[in-house]
Amino acid sequence: MDNKRKYVIPGDVVTTGPYRPEQNVILEGNKIISTTIGISEIYDDSVKVISLTGKYLPQINDLVIGKVISHSSLSWELDINSCYVGFLPAQDVFGRDFSAHADELTSRLKSGDLVAARIANSDRTRDPLITIADRDLGKIDSGDLVEISPSKVPRLIGKKGSMIQTIENATEATITIGQNGWVVVTCESHEGLLKAKKAIQMVNEQAHVANLTDQVKEMLESKGES
Amino acid sequence: MGGRESTLVLLDENGIRCDGRKVDEPRRIMIKAGGLKNADGSAYIEFGDNKILVGVFGPRDVHPKHMSNTDTGILRVRYHMEPFSVSERKNPAPSRREIEISKVIKEALLPAVILDKFPRTAVDVFIEVLQADGGTRCAALAAASVALADAGIPMRDMVAACAAGKAADTIILDVNNEEDQAGQADMPVGYMPNLDKITLLQLDGVLSPEEFKKCVKVGIDGCKIVYELQKKALQEKYFQNRGDQ
C-alpha cells in the first residue's frame, strides 16, 4: 500500500510530530509510542497500530456470539470471550411486560445456549450491556462454534467481506462472525460444514500470509473434486 | 557481602572471569516468545544456566473480588522456584526470598503496563524457575516482559533487565552464581530502553559512589543487550514469514 506501515513492538517509536494518537499508541513528549505488538499505520493527521494479539474488549455496536453462563431472576450473564461478562436484561427478551414472577427465564435461554447479540453499552465501569432485540440476533439453534483469535476477525471477514464470501459461496454455509472471535457455522451438508470450519481455522493460523483469499479458494475447490 | 574466602579465582591477570567471560560480557542468552498454549501469553528464557518459564493470564476476573480496583486493573506476580531448580531440593512452599522477588518484579513491571483500560480485572504473571544459576530475578523480569507483550497487555515500553556487580575489585556485567557468592556486590537493574527509565535497582554489597555510578551504567548497557534479544524473540514469533506488506 504505502511505505508508512511497519512492524512494531511495545515501546517502539512509531513517529514524531503533530499526529493524533489513535488505537494502541500513546503520546510521550513528542514521540508516538506503540503499546502493543502490531502493524503501525500513519495517516494524514493520525497514527494507529493494528494489534496482532490480545483479548477482546467490548465496543458499542459490535456483534458478538455469547454463551449463557447463568441467570438471576432479572437477567442473564453471558460469556463473551472477554475479561467482562455480558449482561442481558430479561426485558430485552420478554419485552416491556416482563414480570419476574410470571416469566421463567430458562424458558427462553438456558445456560450453555449460544446467542448472537449486539453490545448496547460498554463503559467498563459496569459489565457490558448486550441486546438481542434486532434482526438476525437471538438464540442460535443450530451450527458449530469455531473459536479464533479476536485479533484475526478482520482477516476472516476480508476486504469488503471478500474472504467470508469466498468461504460461504464455496461451501454454501452460513457463517456468523462475532467480533469477539467466536464464529458459528451452519450448513445443510456435512461436508460443507467441515470444509468451512477448516477454512476458518486456516485463516486463523495463516492470517499473516499474503494472498490468503486465493489460497483458501484453492483449498476449498481442491477438496470439492476429491 | 564482604566476599567469602575461597580458592576460586574470580578474575585472572588477563581480565578473564571464572567462567571464561570478559568483564563486560554477558552470559549466553536465549529468549523465546510463546510456547504455552493455554496461557494468554508466555515466554521462555535461558540466561546462562538459568532456565525460566513465564505464563501470563489476563486481563481476567479478579478472585478474590475484594482485591479488584474499580479504577484500574491490577497486576499480580508469582515468582516460584521448582524443587529441582537448585542442587539441594528446595521446599516448594513460597519462601521469604520468593515473596520478595515477586514483589520487586511486580513493581518493576508496573511502570510499563497500562492497566487503566481494564478496570476491575487482574493480569496474572506466573514465573517458574526451572533451573537457577544466579541472576534469576533479572532473567525472570526480562521474560515476564516478553510474556506480557505476547499476551497483548498494553505497555509503554518493554522492561529489560540485567545484573551488574563487583568481584575482585572490578565492576563486572551479569554476575553468575559463583561471583554472587564470592564477589563483593550484586546489583540487578531493570530498565525501559526507549523511555530511558530505571524500574528496578537493588544493591547487595558495598560500593563507593563512583563505583555505584559505573555499576548502574554497566547494568544499563547489559539491559540494552537483553532488549535486543527480547525484540528478536517477539519479531520471530509475530513477524516472521510475513511478506513485505
Side-chain angles (χ1 to χ4, degrees):
Chain A
M1 193 175 74
D2 55 358
N3 55 8
K4 286 175 182 168
R5 287 182 132 199
K6 63 178 181 188
Y7 299 127
V8 289
I9 65 168
D12 279 357
V13 178
V14 181
T15 183
T16 52
Y19 290 99
R20 184 158 40 86
E22 280 188 354
Q23 303 164 19
N24 300 323
V25 287
I26 51 161
L27 190 65
E28 192 86 40
N30 65 342
K31 289 186 243 170
I32 293 174
I33 293 173
S34 167
T35 61
T36 185
I37 303 168
I39 301 164
S40 67
E41 286 187 350
I42 302 171
Y43 298 98
D44 294 339
D45 60 344
S46 64
V47 178
K48 70 172 183 181
V49 169
I50 299 166
S51 178
L52 294 175
T53 164
K55 275 210 164 175
Y56 171 69
L57 256 191
Q59 309 256 306
I60 293 173
N61 265 336
D62 274 0
L63 174 75
V64 296
I65 310 282
K67 190 187 267 175
V68 180
I69 315 171
S70 63
H71 68 89
S72 65
S73 57
L74 296 167
S75 66
W76 287 274
E77 277 189 348
L78 272 75
D79 179 3
I80 51 169
N81 193 26
S82 169
C83 43
Y84 304 107
V85 291
F87 182 83
L88 178 63
Q91 277 100 332
D92 209 89
V93 179
F94 289 96
R96 277 283 180 82
D97 55 351
F98 163 74
S99 124
H101 342 274
D103 297 309
E104 178 57 44
L105 268 75
T106 48
S107 67
R108 296 289 186 92
L109 290 171
K110 291 196 288 290
S111 59
D113 284 354
L114 285 180
V115 178
R118 202 169 283 285
I119 308 278
N121 195 6
S122 168
D123 57 6
R124 288 192 243 116
T125 57
R126 263 169 266 175
D127 283 329
L129 185 70
I130 60 177
T131 174
I132 59 166
D134 207 345
R135 209 160 51 87
D136 297 335
L137 299 182
K139 186 178 166 187
I140 297 166
D141 296 312
S142 64
D144 276 27
L145 181 70
V146 184
E147 293 184 23
I148 67 167
S149 155
S151 55
K152 284 163 189 159
V153 166
R155 191 73 170 111
L156 179 62
I157 295 167
K159 283 201 186 87
K160 292 180 188 147
S162 61
M163 179 73 81
I164 199 67
Q165 272 172 18
T166 309
I167 302 175
E168 282 191 331
N169 292 343
T171 59
E172 290 172 358
T174 314
I175 302 172
T176 315
I177 307 173
Q179 289 293 324
N180 56 344
W182 285 0
V183 180
V184 171
V185 190
T186 46
C187 187
E188 297 275 298
S189 77
H190 182 65
E191 204 175 303
L193 182 75
L194 286 180
K195 252 198 279 180
K197 279 170 78 175
K198 198 177 167 197
I200 294 166
Q201 284 302 347
M202 187 173 159
V203 176
N204 187 35
E205 281 154 23
Q206 306 178 30
H208 51 277
V209 177
N211 261 333
L212 189 61
T213 315
D214 294 340
Q215 284 189 29
V216 168
K217 204 181 261 177
E218 206 172 281
M219 191 275 283
L220 290 167
E221 279 163 9
S222 70
K223 272 283 173 121
E225 286 159 15
S226 63
Chain B
M1 272 177 284
R4 199 181 299 164
E5 286 301 317
S6 114
T7 52
L8 189 74
V9 181
L10 287 177
L11 195 70
D12 71 11
E13 57 277 13
N14 303 320
I16 300 296
R17 285 149 71 178
C18 58
D19 56 1
R21 287 184 289 151
K22 295 189 204 112
V23 287
D24 59 349
E25 190 182 337
R27 286 172 280 184
R28 187 190 64 86
I29 307 166
M30 190 279 281
I31 309 178
K32 190 172 171 287
L36 299 180
K37 181 176 139 277
N38 295 334
D40 293 321
S42 56
Y44 173 69
I45 188 167
E46 282 183 15
F47 205 107
D49 283 335
N50 291 306
K51 293 183 180 173
I52 299 170
L53 195 55
V54 182
V56 170
F57 288 93
R60 65 176 181 181
D61 258 12
V62 189
H63 287 289
K65 272 252 157 68
H66 67 82
M67 280 177 82
S68 70
N69 187 334
T70 46
D71 295 329
T72 176
I74 58 168
L75 182 69
R76 294 186 291 196
V77 177
R78 188 185 80 144
Y79 167 99
H80 181 242
M81 285 173 92
E82 296 302 327
F84 51 79
S85 63
V86 278
S87 49
E88 197 151 324
R89 181 182 184 272
K90 191 206 148 284
N91 185 339
S95 62
R96 182 195 57 77
R97 179 178 167 275
E98 284 170 344
I99 296 166
E100 181 217 319
I101 294 180
S102 304
K103 176 180 175 288
V104 298
I105 291 179
K106 180 180 122 187
E107 286 170 0
L109 289 169
L110 267 180
V113 290
I114 307 169
L115 295 175
D116 45 3
K117 278 187 187 168
F118 313 105
R120 299 181 291 118
T121 64
V123 173
D124 291 314
V125 180
F126 295 99
I127 300 166
E128 293 294 329
V129 179
L130 308 178
Q131 184 170 293
D133 184 46
T136 50
R137 77 187 68 196
C138 289
L141 177 54
S145 148
V146 173
L148 281 168
D150 183 38
I153 311 292
M155 293 205 287
R156 286 182 187 86
D157 199 351
M158 300 291 289
V159 181
C162 193
K166 184 182 169 192
D169 297 320
T170 316
I171 301 295
I172 53 170
L173 176 65
D174 188 12
V175 180
N176 68 19
N177 201 23
E178 288 77 33
E179 289 161 342
D180 186 26
Q181 302 289 327
Q184 290 148 301
D186 175 23
M187 177 194 275
V189 180
Y191 177 68
M192 295 195 282
N194 293 299
L195 300 176
D196 190 26
K197 281 181 179 155
I198 289 176
T199 67
L200 165 72
L201 187 71
Q202 293 184 295
L203 174 60
D204 181 6
V206 181
L207 292 176
S208 71
E210 290 75 37
E211 283 173 332
F212 178 83
K213 279 180 195 152
K214 190 176 174 209
C215 210
V216 173
K217 201 185 150 289
V218 168
I220 288 176
D221 289 344
C223 290
K224 286 177 181 163
I225 298 172
V226 174
Y227 173 64
E228 290 305 318
L229 293 160
Q230 289 178 314
K231 212 166 153 176
K232 206 179 115 217
L234 288 173
Q235 280 168 347
E236 263 170 20
K237 181 173 176 198
Y238 284 95
F239 307 144
Q240 226 171 37
N241 310 324
R242 277 172 184 264
D244 39 0
Q245 285 187 22

